[in-house]
Amino acid sequence: MKNLLFIGLFLGTLALTAQERNNPFELIDRLPASERTQEASGITGNPFDIYPDAGIAISAKPAAIRDAERTVAPGATREETPTIISATDPNVGKGSMLAIHILLWVLAASLWLLFGGLLRQCLAATVNDGIMTQLYTRRSGGQLGALWMCYIFFFLAGGHYIHLFALNHDISIGQGIWGSWLTYALGIAAAVGLKHWVLFFYARVFPVRKEVSRYAFVLMVFSILAGLFIMPVNLLASYALPEWRMTFLYSGVILFSLIYLLHLLRGGFIASRLIGSRPVHILLYICAIEIAPLLLIYRYLSDQLVA
């Protein structure tokens, strides 16, 4: 009995050893490829086996059930794989912005080459009333046409500045770069044209035609200079470092404010003789035409920036 027990234990140990995965007597090369893969990874296909390696995900469900779960019924929603949306290309629009700068600088250089003497006189007339009087009294058809060309340039340069200011404050009218620039330029032209129309109507109603005509001419001269002075501000606000762009933009606001104050000061000298005889009409014009539009612009910008 002892001999039979010893032989049984010996044969059982050999049988258990032969069932190990690293059995040198198994002919693994003769097995199919799928079974060799399972044998190499330790997967036996038994749904009741427990695998300590958490990195291998084994589904205990039959293939038919897994396929049914992956199939989405008609009308049902299925969570899609998150789509990675790339950021907007920072170079988009830079070509159009560069083209606008080149166009404006070419126009400014052409106007300076053609009418440099006249523009220098306009610059000197801002601080010299005698030169302003000469420009007003000696203006001819050709000179007046040159002034109007420079006036139109002010609309384009001012519209570009407003476009840059709006872009840096995330204000958009949805017209694209070229459309927004031209829309802002037309807006400035409409505002200035409305002011000239009010001056014309004012001169027709009250006997102040000479003073109003000279005041309108002064408005044209200061606007032309504002268009020339704002060009470097536009260039710096477009291509300066991001932390300096707002500084240059607000320096443009200061520049416009100084030119506007000088314009009002010169207008006050023109209307000095009317202040004593018609003070109500002068105050009415200043409040309705000079101050009210500025308050409306300030209210609009404050609402947009706060929003």
Side-chain angles (χ1 to χ4, degrees):
M1 292 296 294
K2 292 181 179 180
N3 293 333
L4 291 176
L5 182 60
F6 176 78
I7 293 172
L9 292 175
F10 179 76
L11 294 176
T13 305
L14 293 177
L16 292 174
T17 306
Q19 292 181 0
E20 293 181 357
R21 289 178 296 178
N22 298 326
N23 187 0
F25 299 101
E26 287 188 358
L27 301 178
I28 301 177
D29 294 337
R30 296 183 180 181
L31 295 176
S34 59
E35 295 184 10
R36 288 203 306 268
T37 304
Q38 291 182 354
E39 187 70 23
S41 60
I43 301 174
T44 63
N46 188 354
F48 300 100
D49 286 344
I50 299 176
Y51 299 92
D53 188 4
I56 303 175
I58 306 299
S59 176
K61 298 180 181 179
I65 299 177
R66 292 198 301 269
D67 295 337
E69 289 179 351
R70 285 197 294 265
T71 304
V72 181
T77 58
R78 183 178 64 181
E79 185 178 358
E80 300 289 343
T81 303
T83 303
I84 300 175
I85 302 176
S86 60
T88 304
D89 187 359
N91 293 321
V92 173
K94 287 188 176 181
S96 299
M97 193 66 66
L98 179 61
I100 293 174
H101 278 289
I102 292 175
L103 178 61
L104 290 177
W105 279 101
V106 169
L107 289 176
S110 301
L111 292 175
W112 188 264
L113 290 175
L114 294 174
F115 315 113
L118 179 61
L119 292 175
R120 285 189 289 270
Q121 289 181 0
C122 291
L123 179 60
T126 57
V127 294
N128 192 322
D129 189 64
I131 298 178
M132 182 68 74
T133 303
Q134 291 179 6
L135 284 175
Y136 175 72
T137 56
R138 296 179 183 178
R139 68 187 188 279
S140 59
Q143 189 181 48
L144 190 59
L147 289 173
W148 272 106
M149 292 177 64
C150 298
Y151 208 7
I152 295 174
F153 176 79
F154 159 70
F155 301 149
L156 297 176
H160 191 208
Y161 171 79
I162 295 178
H163 180 216
L164 293 175
F165 191 89
L167 284 180
N168 283 271
H169 288 83
D170 297 328
I171 302 174
S172 176
I173 58 176
Q175 298 293 329
I177 295 178
W178 292 91
S180 299
W181 167 47
L182 295 177
T183 301
Y184 289 129
L186 290 176
I188 296 177
V192 176
L194 178 62
K195 187 172 183 178
H196 279 285
W197 183 84
V198 171
L199 289 173
F200 175 79
F201 180 77
Y202 187 81
R204 291 291 181 179
V205 174
F206 304 103
V208 288
R209 184 174 301 178
K210 180 179 178 181
E211 289 79 5
V212 169
S213 177
R214 185 168 180 179
Y215 180 75
F217 181 77
V218 169
L219 174 62
M220 175 185 287
V221 172
F222 277 91
S223 299
I224 290 171
L225 295 179
L228 294 177
F229 290 154
I230 203 62
M231 288 293 295
V233 176
N234 291 345
L235 188 64
L236 293 173
S238 297
Y239 297 104
L241 296 175
E243 58 268 18
W244 286 96
R245 289 177 184 174
M246 297 306 301
T247 302
F248 291 122
L249 285 174
Y250 282 106
S251 66
V253 174
I254 296 174
L255 176 64
F256 277 125
S257 301
L258 291 176
I259 294 177
Y260 186 73
L261 289 176
L262 289 175
H263 159 66
L264 290 181
L265 184 61
R266 182 56 58 86
F269 288 141
I270 295 173
S272 58
R273 74 175 188 87
L274 301 175
I275 294 178
S277 59
R278 301 180 182 275
V280 177
H281 301 92
I282 297 297
L283 292 177
L284 180 63
Y285 169 78
I286 292 175
C287 294
I289 306 302
E290 301 295 345
I291 298 179
L294 294 179
L295 295 178
L296 290 175
I297 294 173
Y298 172 76
R299 178 62 182 274
Y300 172 76
L301 291 178
S302 61
D303 293 341
Q304 290 293 328
L305 296 180
V306 170

